[in-house]
Amino acid sequence: MKESSVYLPAMKKQRKIIIPLAFLFLIVVAASIYTFFYLKYDPTLTNLEKRLEGMSMAHPLGTDHLGRDILTRLLLGAQQTIGFSALALGVALLVGIPIGLISGYKRGVVDRLFMRIADSFLAFPDTVVAIVLSGLLGPGIGNLVLAIVMVKWVNYARLVRSTVLSESQKEYVLVARTNGLSALQIMKKHLAPHIIGYVLVMASLDLGKIILLISSLSYIGLGAQPPIPEWGAMLNDSRPYFQSNPELMIYPGLAIVGVVLVTNIIGDYLRDQFDVKKEV
């Protein structure tokens, strides 16, 4: 009886994560194969004769102010928003993790050089730096992704560096050095496993932040450009019709809120699973 009561909280936690994971999975799958279901609708082709139509069998969520199918644009917008957010996060990880490993393990001049560069980015809020870089690079989803990478790699480099600094002084690393393992082998076999939990938690929480950042900058015209359907750009296009047709803004707004909420729930779950400190 006691054993079952011990496992009950863990089972409840696992149940809580199933719904967010299923929700995110369904959105990703639907966005990936949207053309198979709505191939007859071109998300960028206007049809003023069908503008602002309500829900119907032909258009489950209706049409927008230019007669384009809203559901099709939402699904393609998921590809843009979630896809490019994941791309920015992945590149930031590929840049930040090796820099943090090398900086924390080698120290010296390499560490000081990387950390001074990181400090220059951390002197200003992420959003401000991303806006400035996007403005300098020019509008466009590609430039926006590059700007976010330039902002986000710093957090992972510093996180990995701090973990490596503490772990590299422990006995198992000293033994590995004594046994003749190279720096690359030590970082790969002994140090990398200790940073996985921290990186996964930060990445899951960062994904929601990046989605918000891409949507926000697209909303003000620095991200995806018309007629590309992106959730933030769709919000901007629908502003003049908020009073007469509020659903044009509600649909992409709910999509953004739902995905960000799900990624935060997954991040909190991973933080509990890996027993990562709350500040991460």
Side-chain angles (χ1 to χ4, degrees):
M1 192 71 177
K2 288 184 178 179
E3 187 176 354
S4 62
S5 63
V6 169
Y7 287 107
L8 190 58
M11 291 174 62
K12 288 182 177 179
K13 284 184 178 180
Q14 290 177 358
R15 270 196 226 115
K16 288 180 180 179
I17 200 64
I18 289 175
I19 295 177
L21 282 174
F23 177 78
L24 188 60
F25 176 77
L26 287 174
I27 289 180
V28 171
V29 169
S32 300
I33 61 175
Y34 87 99
T35 50
F36 292 100
F37 295 101
Y38 292 95
L39 190 60
K40 59 181 178 179
Y41 297 123
D42 185 341
T44 62
L45 184 64
T46 62
N47 186 352
L48 297 180
E49 293 180 359
K50 295 185 176 182
R51 65 191 302 269
L52 300 176
E53 286 187 357
M55 295 182 181
S56 64
M57 292 297 294
H59 304 284
L61 296 181
T63 61
D64 66 4
H65 58 290
L66 295 177
R68 299 170 296 192
D69 184 71
I70 294 176
L71 181 56
T72 304
R73 289 179 60 79
L74 277 176
L75 292 175
L76 186 57
Q79 288 186 6
Q80 298 289 319
T81 306
I82 301 176
F84 281 107
S85 297
L87 175 63
L89 179 60
V91 177
L93 289 172
L94 290 175
V95 174
I97 291 176
I99 289 177
L101 279 169
I102 295 170
S103 182
Y105 188 78
K106 290 294 187 180
R107 304 185 188 182
V109 177
V110 175
D111 182 36
R112 289 195 293 272
L113 174 62
F114 283 140
M115 288 307 102
R116 295 298 76 78
I117 295 174
D119 289 342
S120 65
F121 280 96
L122 292 173
F124 304 94
D126 289 356
T127 305
V128 174
V129 177
I131 290 174
V132 172
L133 291 175
S134 298
L136 292 174
L137 294 171
I141 193 69
N143 290 337
L144 178 54
V145 169
L146 178 59
I148 292 174
V149 170
M150 294 172 68
V151 170
K152 287 296 180 181
W153 74 267
V154 176
N155 298 328
Y156 295 98
R158 291 184 66 88
L159 174 66
V160 171
R161 173 185 176 270
S162 63
T163 305
V164 170
L165 283 175
S166 61
E167 293 294 329
S168 60
Q169 299 303 311
K170 293 184 178 179
E171 186 176 344
Y172 71 93
V173 176
L174 299 177
V175 171
R177 288 175 184 164
T178 305
N179 290 336
L181 268 68
S182 65
L184 181 61
Q185 289 175 317
I186 293 174
M187 286 188 286
K188 182 179 178 180
K189 295 181 179 180
H190 297 285
L191 295 177
H194 288 275
I195 68 173
I196 290 176
Y198 291 93
V199 170
L200 281 177
V201 172
M202 178 177 279
S204 60
L205 294 172
D206 250 355
L207 181 58
K209 296 177 183 178
I210 294 173
I211 288 173
L212 281 176
L213 192 55
I214 284 182
S215 300
S216 301
L217 296 187
S218 294
Y219 180 80
I220 62 176
L222 292 176
Q225 300 299 302
I228 297 174
E230 189 277 333
W231 289 345
M234 290 175 68
L235 284 172
N236 185 39
D237 288 343
S238 305
R239 279 187 306 156
Y241 305 92
F242 181 68
Q243 297 293 331
S244 58
N245 298 85
E247 68 275 6
L248 297 183
M249 293 190 73
I250 290 174
Y251 292 142
L254 286 177
I256 295 170
V257 171
V259 172
V260 172
L261 180 61
V262 163
T263 57
N264 286 339
I265 292 173
I266 295 173
D268 289 338
Y269 175 81
L270 291 175
R271 182 164 55 190
D272 294 337
Q273 291 297 109
F274 287 102
D275 194 25
V276 176
K277 295 179 181 179
K278 293 297 181 183
E279 59 266 21
V280 176

